[in-house]
Amino acid sequence: MKAAIIHAKGQSPVYGEFDTPVATDGKVLVHVKASALSNLSRALSEGNHYSADAVYPKVAGAEGAGITADGQRVYFLLPEAPYGALAEQTLVRPDYMVKIPDTVDDITAAAIPNPAMSSWVALNDRAHLQPNETVLINGATGTAGRLAVQIAKHLGAKKVIATGRNERELQELHALGADVVVPFQLDGTEGVQKFEKALEEQFAEGIDVIIDYLWGESARSIIMTVYKCIPKGHIVRFVNVGASSGQENIDLPSSVLRSSAVQILGSGLGSVIMPKFFEAIRNVYEIVKTANLQVNTKVVPLSSVESVWGDSSGKPRVVFTIN
């Protein structure tokens, strides 16, 4: 079968022929229709994710949309190694599949689950967002961040604050539900101070939940501003979902945690049980139309995988079509 094949850790996939999988007890054969190029898919495929296996050669791709032998349209996650999502067929555990509603097309079904479930789980299961609370989305201009703005509003947030580097893209988020946008450039002391002052003005009206896709200096500034501005005893739930800033470590005084009520949580594979992710995907599919969830996509054939795999922008989200 045609597939995108990775031959060793750290390598990019090549388009070629791979053995066709055969259905076995406990695994379902899925004919793949579409698969999105998410950060998770890329990192798992290349072996650079903390949960990645070491099976090579293997088919790239961690998730997708397809059809089972009995004709059911499904979204699937984490196919059985060495098979992946970027192939004509793959093998998947039955409990790692979600039925796709007729109201959701294959491209959307492949593109929206990963970024949308990240914010749904972070908001609903980790932060336990309550109606009328105020939410800050740090790194809101990415695909996941844009969906986080929309989902926060759907889940009842009274006010959504969106932060990020690109001011033009931040302004676009007003149409998606952002009440306030706060751009930042943290290349020097002046930039950090300007960002923290803008945060202080917003936090004066209260802050309850922070969903962080960036980590690094922007996350540190947000936590330090919570420490400085929020009354002692008011719990602010800070949920880290990713480290798109490229900074894995931040300099955070322990006294900040001891003398403020900020709770720092993680949300991802390992901190959340798998059934919660699939529950989130079902919920997201149910509201795609009613909440008018929007994700920008770039559709390309699987044969183009070698030329587009290195696209790290994620905007628009690349979706490979297979069959």
Side-chain angles (χ1 to χ4, degrees):
M1 66 177 179
K2 296 296 184 182
I5 308 161
I6 292 185
H7 289 279
K9 180 178 178 179
Q11 292 186 1
S12 298
V14 294
Y15 183 66
E17 293 284 342
F18 200 83
D19 291 342
T20 302
V22 177
T24 62
D25 290 342
K27 304 295 185 298
V28 177
L29 187 67
V30 177
H31 295 265
V32 185
K33 302 298 290 183
S35 176
L37 179 56
S38 63
N39 289 334
L40 174 67
S41 185
R42 184 186 289 107
L44 282 170
S45 299
E46 295 178 352
N48 296 323
H49 193 269
Y50 60 83
S51 67
D53 58 47
V55 177
Y56 297 99
K58 66 180 177 184
V59 176
E63 58 174 331
I67 301 176
T68 60
D70 61 2
Q72 186 175 93
R73 296 176 65 232
V74 296
Y75 165 84
F76 61 87
L77 179 66
L78 302 179
E80 189 74 7
Y83 302 105
L86 293 179
E88 293 177 315
Q89 298 178 54
T90 193
L91 281 181
V92 186
R93 289 173 47 170
D95 55 337
Y96 278 28
M97 300 189 305
V98 172
K99 184 178 179 180
I100 301 172
D102 293 338
T103 54
V104 181
D105 63 85
D106 288 339
I107 301 303
T108 303
I112 208 167
N114 177 269
M117 72 178 171
S118 74
S119 55
W120 186 289
V121 169
L123 287 163
N124 188 68
D125 297 288
R126 299 298 282 161
H128 300 292
L129 177 67
Q130 301 299 308
N132 297 317
E133 289 190 316
T134 296
V135 177
L136 183 147
I137 309 295
N138 187 38
T141 59
T143 299
R146 291 169 67 91
L147 284 165
V149 169
Q150 299 170 69
I151 290 172
K153 277 294 189 179
H154 174 79
L155 292 176
K158 174 184 67 175
K159 178 180 178 181
V160 174
I161 304 166
T163 66
R165 288 183 177 275
N166 191 312
E167 186 167 4
R168 178 186 61 80
E169 293 183 357
L170 279 174
Q171 294 299 333
E172 295 174 359
L173 298 180
H174 285 299
L176 299 180
D179 299 285
V180 177
V181 298
V182 181
F184 61 75
Q185 296 293 332
L186 305 178
D187 300 328
T189 302
E190 183 177 346
V192 172
Q193 292 176 343
K194 182 179 179 181
F195 181 46
E196 292 184 2
K197 186 176 187 304
L199 291 174
E200 288 176 14
E201 293 173 357
Q202 295 302 319
F203 290 1
E205 300 178 15
I207 184 71
D208 302 292
V209 172
I210 296 156
I211 305 299
D212 170 49
Y213 286 95
L214 301 180
W215 200 237
E217 288 302 315
S218 63
R220 183 186 188 279
S221 287
I222 291 169
I223 294 170
M224 293 300 295
T225 307
V226 169
Y227 163 69
K228 290 185 293 183
C229 297
I230 302 303
K232 307 305 178 186
H234 178 78
I235 296 175
V236 177
R237 293 95 77 196
F238 181 105
V239 184
N240 173 256
V241 184
S244 295
S245 68
Q247 296 176 273
E248 277 292 329
N249 301 308
I250 63 174
D251 179 14
L252 187 66
S254 65
S255 58
V256 170
L257 301 181
R258 296 196 306 272
S259 58
S260 69
V262 62
Q263 292 182 344
I264 299 180
L265 306 165
S267 184
L269 296 174
S271 61
V272 179
I273 60 174
M274 289 301 295
K276 287 294 184 181
F277 287 112
F278 291 106
E279 179 184 333
I281 294 167
R282 293 185 187 93
N283 288 328
V284 167
Y285 278 155
E286 287 179 4
I287 67 167
V288 165
K289 295 298 183 183
T290 57
N292 193 28
L293 297 185
Q294 299 177 36
V295 55
N296 296 327
T297 59
K298 175 184 178 181
V299 180
V300 298
L302 179 60
S303 57
S304 300
V305 64
E306 295 176 38
S307 62
V308 301
W309 181 262
D311 180 7
S312 59
S313 68
K315 298 180 293 185
R317 176 136 300 190
V318 170
V319 179
F320 296 102
T321 53
I322 289 91
N323 291 323

